[in-house]
Amino acid sequence: MSRTHTPTLPWYEDMGPGSGGLEPRAWYAGSDAGRMSLNGEWRLRLSPGAAAQDESFVRPGFDASGWGTVAVPGHWVLQGAGGAPAYTNVVYPFPVDPPRVPAENPTGDHLRAFDLPGGWPGDSEVVLRFDGVESCARVWLNGQELGHFKGSRLPHEFAVGGLLRAGGNVLAVRVHQWSSGSYLEDQDQWWLPGIFRDVTLLERPQGAPRDFFVHAGYDHRDGSGILRVECDGAEGRIVLPELGVDAATGETVTVAVEPWTAETPRLYDGELVTAAERIPLRVGFRTVVVQDGVIRVNGRRVLFRGVNRHEFHPETGRTVDAATMRRDLVLMKQHNINAVRTSHYPPHPAFLDLCDELGLWVIDECDLETHGFAGLEWRNNPVDDRRWTPALLDRAARMVERDKNHASVIIWSLGNECGSGRGLTAMAKWIRGRDPERLVHYEGDPSCRDVDLYSRMYPAHAEVELIGKRAEEPWSDAESDARRRAMPFIMCEYGHAMGNGPGGLGEYQLLFERYERCQGGFIWEWIDHGIAHSEHGFAYGGDFGEELHDSNFVCDGLLFPDRTPSPGLIEYKKVVEPVRIEPVAGAGAVRISNGYDFAGLEHLDFVWSYEVDGALVGSGALDVPDLAPGASAEVGLPMEGDGVWTVRAVLARDTAWGERGHVVAWGQVEAGAPGTPAAAVGERPERNEGVITLGAGVFDAATGALVRLGAVPVEGLRLDVWRAPTDNDNGAAWQPGERYGLRWRELGLHRMRHRTDAIEVGEDALVVRARVAPAGVGQGLRTAYRWTADGERLGLTVSVVPEGEWRVPLPRLGIRFGLPAAYGGARWFGGGPGEAYPDTRAASVLGRWQMSVDAMQTPYVRPQENGARADVRWAELTDGCGVGVRVEGGAPFWFTARRWTSEQLDAAEHVPQLRAGETVWVNLDHAVQGIGSQSCGPGVLPEYRLDAEAAEFSFVFSATG
């Protein structure tokens, strides 16, 4: 009779959270108690496995001089110490056999020698604190084991006062890349082992508080703040000089205050004073509730203009310094973002101090995701296994206790993409018991049994509208359905910012503003996680030889890896701007609407400018009343005539995140129809020895192709319908609807054949008739190019008639041609300065723009279609002396120019593979397909599809200089 052997699990595979550590408590930046950073250079020995490792390194006197070194905080795989980053979105990069992990378990033994500051430790206790270690750590000090822990993005502390000596202390830490905790940390990000956050020694004087909890509510009815501070382990007083508060801990104080909001982040400086320690406080008074099915803060509905934020730096991974954190938040504020979801773990604690100071609503998310069990139909999912519940509760407690004193944190999130189960229920119950003054969020359980708000990822616009009406499809369980339907609604993820896009943001925002229940959402996500790479520029999944990976799905942010704003961020800023400036039809006026939740407009100045054909005619200040939130007013414009008025709302004074004059919102009014060029007709084409001459144009007589315009050579001018598919064109396998990028390639639109059927030389026109179609299919585009001339002006009218059954839209419809590389200066009147597409054009400013062709490119980490400019009336491409080609459109057109073809762009996997050639390739498009968000969201809305239909469009060409 055989028996199943159940092995005794090593500590790193045990399902528990750890041992030997202290209870979690609040984090604060400093006090009058001493602290010593242990950040810096540590000794490191890397081993390929975890089993039977030599522990002699923990003994006093161990000689580690032969070891390498590593910077702490940091990841050894990003410092050349061994191993490599690995990216997966959902699947675990090891066999799923919880709680077991592979024998191939890279193990980093770390050593740090240090001396204590003078006078330490004296009579004080000393605490050793780790703010973040992936994925687990076992700790020794001066040869004595302190304990071990899991929970990579959470703090862990040990009491060490009795083990310290004045000099020659040695801290030893063993870190395993994989542990049972890895099953709880399957977040969509790079797997990066190491001690990646701060390591600190903290003096805890006798009689100092063990912990404290600041309760600071606000009663919007009478403007009073209600303050009470719980102090654990010591009695003390709360002193807020500006408010005249000097009260005992535990006492409730009511005082008139200015409330804290993300728009008006009012903080009151003070101290928690005890006999042994003085702790600085920054108190913000605010109250968050769900009332009548709406999230209200300080009595008012809030609208989240949010982003999801992973911690990331292209060189240091999840090790992000304070300056970079502040830079991120300043960029958010400058782009009208008012909320952050800390996906999918608590951030570095200093980040939340900055959110308090600068003003952002925060959903603080627990370090928990088990997404890899989805493909196993959630079998053995830890969140529904009682054996894992202590670890889940430990993670919830470490988040809440650490971050409970931040005014910015208004919602606790249980985690992300964990399915459902009793562990989540236990977490929610514990959080509510500890902190009933905040809301609880979790998206992954449709029953909403454990939460205070209904949250979804990537719903289509039509579904959001139904949700806004509280008319969504009912669930089978009537009780759960009624509970969910009564809840406020947010999209914890939407607008997947992968590559070119996302499209359709403006349509979502209209729904948020129309329906009270729909309280906004959080774009996925803040930054592309491209790792700096000597060959690729920025690397993504697969570039480090991973066995399993999810390619460039890790690059789906509003910032490029170097923190340059993408066009998606510029678009989002415009879409969510808190002041609306819109034309009043026929009135020579604009309507100014205050979309802030709390603030008036007194912090803004309004300025106007008036341009004709891009030339400034006048400018000045606009007198706008100080409108209350939700109010609007019509304001007359000071000039009359045909042209473009631009009205901007700018900061009236410097703030913590923007200088005076920073543009918060803008709107334009165009008076008069766009000008159209006069027809270029009247000249007769002439045939001469292999060429046809028509005005300034010279054509190949055998093919009808334009080969020269005046003195400028022209190459390959013909109909073009192909674009290098975007990530959103290619879509995701799990998304409903057609993935047009794949369909376009199946149809062969990337390899169109151009057959000339006739060249007709008439009295006043040259007509070239052609058929454009891919090999192997019956669909085609019957095309006629009609050329005319008038002096130096050359006119082109293109007529297109589809043949066969077209079941997919076209990527684009226009012409493409090449110019010599010297003509690399671009100038145009139309939308700019950045790129735009039909559903990403809100931020396109009508004006006169000038830049190099090189500057017109958008460097998406995985190259794809980019760089189009919208609403263009005319465009020029010139050399350094102003010599070149000018194009005017019979109607506003889309203008793109680059030093490589769409086919070369399509073939590139990384930006350095794009090499400038001898040609500038120009696209002049009558229409282009929208972008959508199908890389992880809805596809292109019907109104932005470019269906294959009969079309006619025209241009007029002339030489410049």
Side-chain angles (χ1 to χ4, degrees):
M1 180 177 178
S2 63
R3 294 184 178 180
T4 301
H5 174 65
T6 303
T8 300
L9 297 179
W11 68 270
Y12 54 85
E13 290 185 326
D14 183 274
M15 286 175 276
S19 68
L22 298 172
E23 290 296 310
R25 63 191 180 101
W27 182 92
Y28 48 94
S31 74
D32 62 348
R35 64 175 51 213
M36 176 183 178
S37 173
L38 295 181
N39 295 346
E41 185 178 277
W42 290 47
R43 290 286 183 178
L44 173 72
R45 175 182 65 184
L46 190 62
S47 305
Q53 286 292 314
D54 173 22
E55 295 179 5
S56 61
F57 79 103
V58 310
R59 298 172 189 157
F62 179 83
D63 181 9
S65 60
W67 291 16
T69 60
V70 68
V72 170
H75 305 280
W76 69 68
V77 295
L78 296 181
Q79 300 186 53
Y87 167 61
T88 61
N89 170 26
V90 176
V91 297
Y92 291 102
F94 47 77
V96 181
D97 182 25
R100 306 302 304 277
V101 296
E104 301 83 7
N105 190 357
T107 297
D109 290 331
H110 297 70
L111 284 176
R112 172 72 155 87
F114 62 93
D115 299 329
L116 290 179
W120 273 40
D123 294 331
S124 298
E125 177 57 88
V126 177
V127 167
L128 171 64
R129 181 182 182 94
F130 295 88
D131 279 307
V133 181
E134 183 174 333
S135 73
C136 65
R138 189 177 175 193
V139 186
W140 297 263
L141 179 62
N142 294 331
Q144 179 70 43
E145 182 170 357
L146 303 179
H148 56 81
F149 61 85
K150 309 179 191 81
S152 296
R153 268 68 73 175
L154 294 162
H156 299 272
E157 292 183 337
F158 299 94
V160 298
L163 298 176
L164 289 168
R165 44 186 180 244
N169 296 283
V170 178
L171 178 60
V173 184
R174 170 162 287 171
V175 178
H176 298 305
Q177 175 157 11
W178 310 121
S179 71
S180 60
S182 302
Y183 285 100
L184 305 179
E185 296 172 4
D186 188 27
Q187 293 100 339
D188 174 10
Q189 60 179 337
W190 295 98
W191 299 90
L192 296 171
I195 305 172
F196 68 92
R197 287 187 186 158
D198 306 291
V199 183
T200 314
L201 285 174
L202 301 168
E203 182 189 18
R204 306 304 303 137
Q206 294 295 324
R210 194 203 70 80
D211 195 13
F212 63 97
F213 193 164
V214 177
H215 302 268
Y218 179 73
D219 189 333
H220 66 278
R221 295 165 297 183
D222 61 10
S224 62
I226 303 94
L227 177 67
R228 179 173 57 87
V229 178
E230 299 174 13
C231 193
D232 180 5
E235 294 182 353
R237 301 194 68 79
I238 304 303
V239 180
L240 299 178
E242 189 175 356
L243 295 175
V245 172
D246 186 344
T249 53
E251 178 183 343
T252 298
V253 178
T254 301
V255 62
V257 299
E258 298 173 41
W260 189 98
T261 75
E263 296 167 7
T264 55
R266 183 67 160 93
L267 294 171
Y268 291 91
D269 290 330
E271 282 187 312
L272 166 58
V273 181
T274 69
E277 185 180 22
R278 301 174 72 98
I279 299 172
L281 303 177
R282 304 197 77 189
V283 179
F285 293 86
R286 54 103 189 98
T287 295
V288 55
V289 298
V290 171
Q291 183 179 11
D292 300 326
V294 175
I295 301 170
R296 300 185 189 275
V297 178
N298 303 338
R300 297 189 62 87
R301 172 187 184 260
V302 294
L303 179 58
F304 297 119
R305 301 168 167 92
V307 292
N308 285 272
R309 175 189 177 267
H310 269 298
E311 291 186 304
F312 182 76
H313 188 283
E315 296 174 346
T316 58
R318 275 189 289 283
T319 299
V320 180
D321 60 39
T324 301
M325 292 181 216
R326 179 175 284 275
R327 180 182 176 190
D328 278 351
L329 286 172
V330 165
L331 277 171
M332 289 180 194
K333 294 289 287 189
Q334 290 176 346
H335 289 85
N336 295 328
I337 290 164
N338 73 354
V340 178
R341 177 182 177 224
T342 69
S343 54
H344 299 294
Y345 43 82
H348 190 290
F351 180 81
L352 298 177
D353 274 353
L354 293 171
C355 290
D356 293 344
E357 174 193 336
L358 297 174
L360 285 104
W361 309 116
V362 174
I363 297 180
D364 198 357
E365 192 149 270
C366 195
D367 189 11
L368 177 61
E369 180 168 338
T370 63
H371 203 175
F373 288 91
L376 306 175
E377 299 179 340
W378 298 107
R379 289 189 304 274
N380 299 320
N381 184 10
V383 304
D384 200 27
D385 184 334
R386 285 194 179 90
R387 295 174 298 170
W388 292 85
T389 299
L392 303 183
L393 290 172
D394 180 75
R395 288 170 184 250
R398 291 187 183 280
M399 171 183 69
V400 171
E401 300 295 6
R402 193 196 75 169
D403 298 341
K404 58 183 177 283
N405 294 328
H406 290 283
S408 56
V409 177
I410 62 170
I411 299 172
W412 301 117
S413 180
L414 303 179
N416 184 67
E417 293 174 325
C418 297
S420 60
R422 67 197 81 180
L424 294 169
T425 300
M427 293 170 69
K429 181 178 179 181
W430 184 91
I431 290 173
R432 284 201 175 91
R434 179 61 172 140
D435 181 24
E437 298 167 356
R438 290 180 173 93
L439 308 181
V440 176
H441 166 273
Y442 177 67
E443 181 272 341
D445 185 353
S447 76
C448 297
R449 64 184 177 184
D450 298 320
V451 298
D452 299 305
L453 56 150
Y454 179 33
S455 178
R456 288 285 304 282
M457 295 181 182
Y458 310 106
H461 298 78
E463 184 182 359
V464 173
E465 181 154 31
L466 288 174
I467 292 170
K469 295 176 178 178
R470 302 189 190 270
E472 64 268 31
E473 287 293 319
W475 296 110
S476 57
D477 182 271
E479 183 178 352
S480 294
D481 183 67
R483 172 177 168 78
R484 173 184 55 85
R485 199 178 296 275
M487 288 178 168
F489 173 72
I490 67 167
M491 295 196 290
C492 65
E493 295 181 20
Y494 84 113
H496 195 251
M498 185 177 179
N500 188 332
L505 296 182
E507 287 73 16
Y508 277 123
Q509 194 67 22
L510 289 174
L511 295 171
F512 302 158
E513 295 173 4
R514 180 180 305 149
Y515 297 106
E516 186 181 48
R517 184 190 188 190
C518 296
Q519 297 193 246
F522 297 77
I523 297 293
W524 187 267
E525 63 162 308
W526 177 237
I527 187 169
D528 285 344
H529 298 196
I531 291 178
H533 193 280
S534 59
E535 177 185 351
H536 300 316
F538 295 108
Y540 49 77
D543 288 335
F544 296 99
E546 300 100 307
E547 180 182 22
L548 297 173
H549 66 85
D550 286 281
S551 189
N552 67 311
F553 203 74
V554 76
C555 294
D556 45 15
L558 294 171
L559 295 183
F560 294 120
D562 64 0
R563 283 182 160 75
T564 301
S566 76
L569 181 57
I570 307 304
E571 177 80 356
Y572 193 44
K573 174 184 178 179
K574 175 61 178 170
V575 165
V576 300
E577 61 187 9
V579 178
R580 295 292 182 211
I581 304 170
E582 301 166 311
V584 179
V590 291
R591 178 176 292 104
I592 310 292
S593 302
N594 182 356
Y596 285 108
D597 297 326
F598 300 91
L601 301 184
E602 90 50 56
H603 65 293
L604 299 175
D605 288 332
F606 289 80
V607 296
W608 63 272
S609 61
Y610 173 54
E611 298 176 338
V612 175
D613 194 27
L616 182 65
V617 175
S619 63
L622 196 66
D623 188 14
V624 176
D626 183 13
L627 300 170
S632 62
E634 291 186 10
V635 180
L637 295 169
M639 299 184 69
E640 295 183 0
D642 291 347
V644 177
W645 283 265
T646 304
V647 177
R648 296 177 174 88
V650 303
L651 289 180
R653 53 188 173 273
D654 291 349
T655 71
W657 51 266
E659 296 180 352
R660 180 184 177 189
H662 167 79
V663 177
V664 172
W666 60 270
Q668 288 190 302
V669 179
E670 184 176 13
T676 57
V681 295
E683 298 210 14
R684 179 187 180 91
E686 302 288 343
R687 189 187 294 269
N688 301 295
E689 297 183 1
V691 300
I692 300 171
T693 303
L694 176 61
V698 178
F699 300 81
D700 186 309
T703 64
L706 178 69
V707 295
R708 195 167 70 247
L709 176 64
V712 180
V714 178
E715 177 184 349
L717 191 152
R718 59 191 187 182
L719 187 76
D720 190 24
V721 299
W722 177 246
R723 74 183 186 197
T726 68
D727 293 314
N728 286 305
D729 289 337
N730 288 333
W734 61 86
Q735 290 298 111
E738 292 185 279
R739 300 166 66 189
Y740 291 131
L742 277 59
R743 293 291 306 280
W744 293 337
R745 204 177 297 277
E746 291 170 1
L747 187 58
L749 298 189
H750 60 306
R751 47 178 177 79
M752 300 292 270
R753 307 288 182 86
H754 297 255
R755 186 187 73 210
T756 301
D757 291 339
I759 301 173
E760 302 169 359
V761 179
E763 290 293 320
D764 62 354
L766 168 66
V767 178
V768 180
R769 303 191 185 278
R771 189 174 190 272
V772 181
V777 301
Q779 294 95 327
L781 299 168
R782 186 69 64 180
T783 307
Y785 308 91
R786 188 175 190 273
W787 294 95
T788 58
D790 176 8
E792 297 301 313
R793 299 165 63 247
L794 186 65
L796 169 63
T797 299
V798 182
S799 301
V800 180
V801 178
E803 295 181 336
E805 187 175 8
W806 287 82
R807 296 183 177 178
V808 295
L810 297 172
R812 67 180 349 129
L813 182 64
I815 59 170
R816 180 174 76 176
F817 59 91
L819 299 174
Y823 300 101
R827 199 167 153 263
W828 73 94
F829 179 67
E835 75 180 26
Y837 290 82
D839 53 351
T840 66
R841 63 189 297 173
S844 184
V845 182
L846 186 60
R848 186 183 296 180
W849 306 102
Q850 183 171 347
M851 66 182 67
S852 69
V853 166
D854 303 299
M856 292 179 71
Q857 312 311 304
T858 304
Y860 294 112
V861 175
R862 186 192 73 80
Q864 56 198 271
E865 167 63 31
N866 72 88
R869 268 59 179 183
D871 289 321
V872 176
R873 306 353 169 32
W874 57 260
E876 295 177 349
L877 288 155
T878 59
D879 62 13
C881 300
V883 176
V885 172
R886 177 183 174 94
V887 184
E888 299 170 78
F893 59 94
W894 303 83
F895 166 52
T896 311
R898 54 176 69 104
R899 295 189 183 275
W900 36 79
T901 64
S902 295
E903 292 76 14
Q904 291 168 329
L905 184 62
D906 185 22
E909 295 294 328
H910 295 88
V911 171
Q913 293 173 329
L914 293 170
R915 306 290 173 82
E918 297 301 315
T919 306
V920 171
W921 291 99
V922 183
N923 278 91
L924 309 176
D925 288 313
H926 167 64
V928 295
Q929 166 83 351
I931 298 295
S933 185
Q934 204 179 14
S935 57
C936 190
V940 177
L941 288 166
E943 57 265 39
Y944 303 121
R945 280 176 48 120
L946 176 54
D947 292 321
E949 299 173 340
E952 185 173 278
F953 50 94
S954 62
F955 303 99
V956 172
F957 299 84
S958 56
T960 65

